[in-house]
Amino acid sequence: MDIIVCVKHVPETAEAELKISANGKTIEKTGLVFNINEWDNYAVEEAVRIKEKFGGTVTVITVGTEDSDYTIRRCLAHGADNAIRLTDPRFEGSDGYAIAKILYSIIRNLHYDLILTGSQAGDDGYSMVGPTIAEMLNIPHVVLVKKIELEAGIARVHRELEGGFEEVVEVKLPALLAVQTGINEPRYVSITSIRRAMQKEIKVMSLADTGLSENEVGEAGSWLKIEKLHAPPVEKQIEFLKGNSEEVAAKIIKILRSRGLI
Amino acid sequence: MTEIFVLAEHRQGQILDITYEVLTKGKEIAEKTNAKLAVLILGKDVKEKAKTLPEYVNRVLVVEDFKLENFNSDAWIKILSNIIMEQMPLLTMMGHTSYGMECAPRLAASLGIPIATDCIDLDFEDENLVVMRQMYGGKVNVRAILKKAKSYMVTVRPGVFIARKPKIPFNGEVIEKQSLLTEEVTTKRFVEYVFPPPGEVDITVAEKLVGIGRGIKDQANMPMMEEFAKAIGAVLASTRPVIDKGWLPSDRQVGSSGKTVKPKLYFAVGISGAFQHILGMKNSDLIITINKDPKAPIFNFSDYGIVEDLFKIVPELTKRINELKG
C-alpha cells in the first residue's frame, strides 16, 4: 500500500494573539509557533498505521518555504519514508485551487494506492485542496473521514455528517480521503526522533519540475484573491470582569445569583 | 436569462435547514443582480419533497432517479455538471456542509468555475463576486475577490444566514430534468448510516452547561472541571479537541458537527471559539467566558468575560460557591 499524504506547515493560532500586517493582506508571522496542520497530523498517523498493517510506503508532500522542513522532519520522524517539498517564490499567493494544481502536477507521476489529506487547513480553511486533486487525478474521494478500513481494492470509510451522525461509504482504490480530526490518536513524536530524521532526504522541487506555467500558480493561477484582512465584528457587547481571583469570583457569583442560576 | 442556483440538501426524507438559509441569501443576490432564483433537488422520490420549494424560487429543477437513493458525490457531480454546463447560471450556491464540502470543490475544478468555500457573506460589486471568509479559526475576517468568470460557485457557512420565507411566495415552476446517469456509479457506494449511541445526559436540555476546550490542557484537570460543574449544578460539554482526545463522550460536543445548545447559562472555559463551536452555543441566554487570550473570538459572543488563567479562577469560584451552599 503506497500512500501519499499532503501536509501543510501552519502557525498555531488557537491561543496566540494575531496582528494584521501593514499591507492588510496577511498576519504578522513573527513570534508565532509553526507546526504541522492539525488535520494533517491525523492523516500522517493514519497513513503510518496503514503502512504498519499492510506494508508499503508513506510519502509526504508539501507546498511551502524552507521553514516547512520542520513539519516534514516531524512527518519523517512520525514514520513517513519519503518527503517532497515544492518551493518557488512564484507559488506565493496561491489559493486552494492553485495549491491543488501544484500538488497534482507532482503526484500524477508518483505511484499511490491512497492519498490522504486533512479535511481543512487551520490557517486558510478552504477544505478544497483534497477534492480538487482527486478531480484532477480522476480518482474518487471522500471528505470528513473518521474511520478507514481497507480490503481488496476498496476502502470502507466512515464519513462525518452532522450532530454526531455518520455515514459509511465504500470507495474504490486508488482514492483520496480527507480526514477529520479524532480519526485516531496521533503518537508522540519526540524531538530526538525528529533530530534522527534530519538524516533523511527531502526532495526539493520548483515550478520548473511541475510543468506548470507561471500563470497557473500564485495569484495569477488562483481563483480567489485576498483583498483585505480585518478583525471580526463584535456580536455582543461584552463586559469584562476585572480584579484578582477573589474579586472576579465574587463578581461572577453576584451575576449568577441575580439571575437565579445558583 | 441570468440565474442563481441553490442546491437543496436533504436526508432521510427531510430537506435540511441549510437549504433555506442558502435560499435566503440567494434571493437577496438574485434581487440585486436582477437574476432569477432556482433550486436544484436531486434524489429518489424527491418530487414529493420538492413541494414546499416553489414558494421560495422562480424554478425548481427536479432530478428524479432511483440510482440517487442515497447521497453519492460522484453521481451528484455528474448530474450537476450537466445542468450547470447547459444553463450557465451566474452563481451556484450550496452549504459548506458534509454535502457541499464533498461536491463543490470537485465540481468547480471539473467545470473550471471559480469557487470560494465557507463564505460568511458574498455580494456582486461591479460585476465582481466579492466574498467574506474567515481565517485562523475565526480570528480574522477576509475580504476576497473571485477571478472574473461567466459562472461562479460558493459554499456558504451554515448558521450564518437566517432562513426566511419570502413575504410574497414565488410559486415557481417545477421542471423535471433527465438525470443522464446512464449507469450506476461504481466508484463509490453508500453502505449505511451510523447513529451515535445514546448518552447518559442530554446537553441539549440541560439548563446550565460548562463548556470546556483546549485550554484545559490535560486530562488530569478534568476532575477540577467536574467539581466546578457540580458546584454550579451544570453539565460538562465541550469543543471538538476534548472529544477527539477522549476526555468526554462524543454526545457532549457542542458545535456544527456536534449539538446545538441553548441553555440559560453557558460557562465557556478555555475555549478560544472556533466558529464551528460558536455556531452551536451562541444563542445561550447568558455566556460567561474565561480565557487568558483577550483576542479569543469567543469574547465577541459573550456577555461577560474574564481574561485570566482558568486554573486561578475556576478553583476559587468552586470553593466560594461550595462555601455559599454550606
Side-chain angles (χ1 to χ4, degrees):
Chain A
M1 188 68 66
D2 289 332
I3 308 168
I4 293 172
V5 191
C6 303
V7 299
K8 189 175 186 184
H9 188 60
V10 298
E12 287 179 2
T13 53
E15 290 182 15
E17 195 175 326
L18 300 187
K19 282 197 194 95
I20 294 164
S21 58
N23 69 11
K25 294 188 176 186
T26 50
I27 55 160
E28 293 285 353
K29 304 277 168 69
T30 40
L32 292 175
V33 176
F34 280 70
N35 210 331
I36 184 168
N37 175 44
E38 188 181 357
W39 286 262
D40 302 345
N41 192 32
Y42 286 92
V44 172
E45 173 66 30
E46 199 62 23
V48 172
R49 285 185 189 197
I50 295 170
K51 182 185 84 167
E52 285 166 351
K53 197 166 169 191
F54 298 99
T57 60
V58 173
T59 302
V60 290
I61 176 164
T62 194
V63 178
T65 60
E66 207 177 336
D67 295 344
S68 311
D69 280 355
Y70 175 80
T71 280
I72 294 176
R73 298 278 175 216
R74 195 199 142 100
C75 295
L76 291 168
H78 202 142
D81 306 282
N82 312 303
I84 301 168
R85 171 161 58 80
L86 290 147
T87 302
D88 199 292
R90 287 166 289 191
F91 294 159
E92 195 68 31
S94 295
D95 70 348
Y97 176 58
I99 294 288
K101 280 189 277 184
I102 298 166
L103 290 167
Y104 156 74
S105 69
I106 299 301
I107 293 173
R108 67 179 164 178
N109 299 320
L110 302 174
H111 179 263
Y112 55 85
D113 302 292
L114 196 59
I115 301 173
L116 300 182
T117 67
S119 266
Q120 67 178 85
D123 53 0
D124 54 35
Y126 288 124
S127 29
M128 65 178 285
V129 172
T132 308
I133 294 173
E135 172 60 30
M136 291 168 178
L137 290 169
N138 195 24
I139 57 171
H141 79 283
V142 183
V143 305
L144 298 167
V145 171
K146 297 247 6 206
K147 188 176 174 184
I148 303 173
E149 291 167 318
L150 295 166
E151 46 194 89
I154 282 175
R156 193 182 170 90
V157 305
H158 285 230
R159 194 168 95 84
E160 184 175 272
L161 302 175
E162 58 291 301
F165 177 42
E166 295 174 355
E167 66 183 11
V168 184
V169 182
E170 276 181 1
V171 60
K172 270 194 185 165
L173 297 182
L176 183 143
L177 306 176
V179 308
Q180 176 61 293
T181 61
I183 187 174
N184 53 43
E185 172 89 48
R187 68 197 65 185
Y188 176 70
V189 180
S190 69
I191 301 291
T192 336
S193 54
I194 294 175
R195 283 209 189 103
R196 217 174 298 133
M198 294 299 268
Q199 319 303 326
K200 292 197 186 175
E201 189 209 347
I202 297 173
K203 196 168 180 186
V204 180
M205 297 170 104
S206 67
L207 180 63
D209 301 297
T210 63
L212 294 166
S213 78
E214 218 172 316
N215 293 327
E216 291 173 284
V217 299
E219 221 169 66
S222 294
W223 279 333
L224 206 61
K225 189 174 135 195
I226 292 178
E227 276 205 329
K228 207 170 171 42
L229 266 55
H230 60 90
V234 174
E235 291 218 357
K236 255 187 182 181
Q237 203 48 56
I238 188 172
E239 185 186 335
F240 282 101
L241 308 176
K242 291 181 179 130
N244 60 32
S245 304
E246 290 88 21
E247 287 160 359
V248 168
K251 285 177 187 172
I252 295 171
I253 288 168
K254 202 173 155 198
I255 294 162
L256 296 178
R257 283 190 129 178
S258 72
R259 300 208 177 207
L261 291 165
I262 49 169
Chain B
M1 178 184 62
T2 322
E3 203 165 23
I4 309 287
F5 276 2
V6 171
L7 177 67
E9 289 193 28
H10 58 91
R11 190 175 297 128
Q12 296 182 297
Q14 293 290 320
I15 292 182
L16 304 178
D17 294 346
I18 182 70
T19 306
Y20 301 104
E21 294 172 22
V22 181
L23 279 169
T24 303
K25 187 65 196 178
K27 178 172 177 277
E28 193 189 308
I29 297 192
E31 280 164 3
K32 186 164 176 184
T33 55
N34 221 354
K36 298 279 185 214
L37 185 62
V39 64
L40 276 67
I41 182 160
L42 281 57
K44 178 178 173 262
D45 302 329
V46 281
K47 265 179 272 176
E48 192 59 27
K49 285 185 202 97
K51 273 192 173 158
T52 59
L53 293 173
E55 64 180 296
Y56 290 86
V57 290
N58 301 99
R59 301 207 295 163
V60 182
L61 305 180
V62 182
V63 182
E64 177 81 51
D65 190 331
F66 72 93
K67 295 192 282 293
L68 300 173
E69 184 172 5
N70 291 295
F71 176 69
N72 179 334
S73 56
D74 285 0
W76 253 248
I77 288 164
K78 263 189 193 163
I79 292 169
L80 290 170
S81 46
N82 277 326
I83 298 178
I84 294 170
M85 283 297 279
E86 180 191 294
Q87 311 272 325
M88 267 298 160
L90 174 62
L91 174 67
T92 303
M93 305 173 75
M94 53 186 99
H96 193 70
T97 57
S98 59
Y99 243 75
M101 284 164 86
E102 177 111 349
C103 289
R106 182 156 196 160
L107 192 54
S110 87
L111 295 170
I113 291 178
I115 186 174
T117 54
D118 197 20
C119 299
I120 57 169
D121 207 358
L122 58 141
D123 202 357
F124 279 95
E125 294 179 10
D126 307 326
E127 293 180 15
N128 287 308
L129 180 57
V130 176
V131 298
M132 198 65 84
R133 300 183 70 254
Q134 289 196 317
M135 284 176 82
Y136 306 104
K139 283 197 159 182
V140 175
N141 279 19
V142 181
R143 187 186 140 94
I145 184 160
L146 278 96
K147 193 171 229 174
K148 246 195 179 109
K150 282 204 179 84
S151 189
Y152 301 95
M153 191 172 293
V154 293
T155 65
V156 171
R157 180 177 293 180
V160 174
F161 301 107
I162 298 159
R164 287 195 190 92
K165 266 194 185 185
K167 283 196 187 107
I168 308 153
F170 278 86
N171 294 320
E173 191 187 353
V174 178
I175 300 159
E176 269 196 65
K177 304 287 291 179
Q178 283 294 314
S179 98
L180 300 177
L181 261 193
T182 43
E183 51 200 36
E184 289 268 2
V185 169
T186 55
T187 42
K188 211 179 276 179
R189 189 176 78 86
F190 169 88
V191 180
E192 61 179 343
Y193 288 118
V194 182
F195 300 90
E200 286 168 32
V201 287
D202 184 354
I203 57 169
T204 62
V205 297
E207 285 200 344
K208 289 179 258 183
L209 291 172
V210 171
I212 55 173
R214 230 182 262 271
I216 299 304
K217 304 268 187 225
D218 201 293
Q219 192 168 13
N221 298 316
M222 289 298 287
M224 178 187 90
M225 296 313 303
E226 294 274 5
E227 210 186 319
F228 171 57
K230 196 176 157 209
I232 62 168
V235 169
L236 279 186
S238 80
T239 61
R240 173 168 211 113
V242 173
I243 304 294
D244 285 346
K245 286 187 156 59
W247 299 346
L248 277 178
S250 64
D251 62 338
R252 304 285 187 100
Q253 188 185 330
V254 173
S256 53
S257 57
K259 289 178 176 171
T260 301
V261 297
K262 199 183 171 298
K264 285 185 177 159
L265 168 66
Y266 192 88
F267 218 118
V269 185
I271 292 174
S272 63
F275 66 84
Q276 291 97 335
H277 184 74
I278 301 275
L279 285 176
M281 50 64 78
K282 68 175 182 182
N283 293 322
S284 304
D285 292 349
L286 174 67
I287 300 172
I288 305 179
T289 294
I290 305 176
N291 198 305
K292 61 182 178 186
D293 172 12
K295 294 279 169 65
I298 196 159
F299 284 126
N300 292 340
F301 299 87
S302 305
D303 298 283
Y304 294 96
I306 301 105
V307 181
E308 182 53 284
D309 187 350
L310 70 95
F311 299 103
K312 281 189 193 157
I313 302 288
V314 171
E316 178 67 26
L317 196 51
T318 309
K319 191 182 92 189
R320 289 196 166 220
I321 293 170
N322 284 336
E323 278 167 11
L324 277 176
K325 293 201 293 191

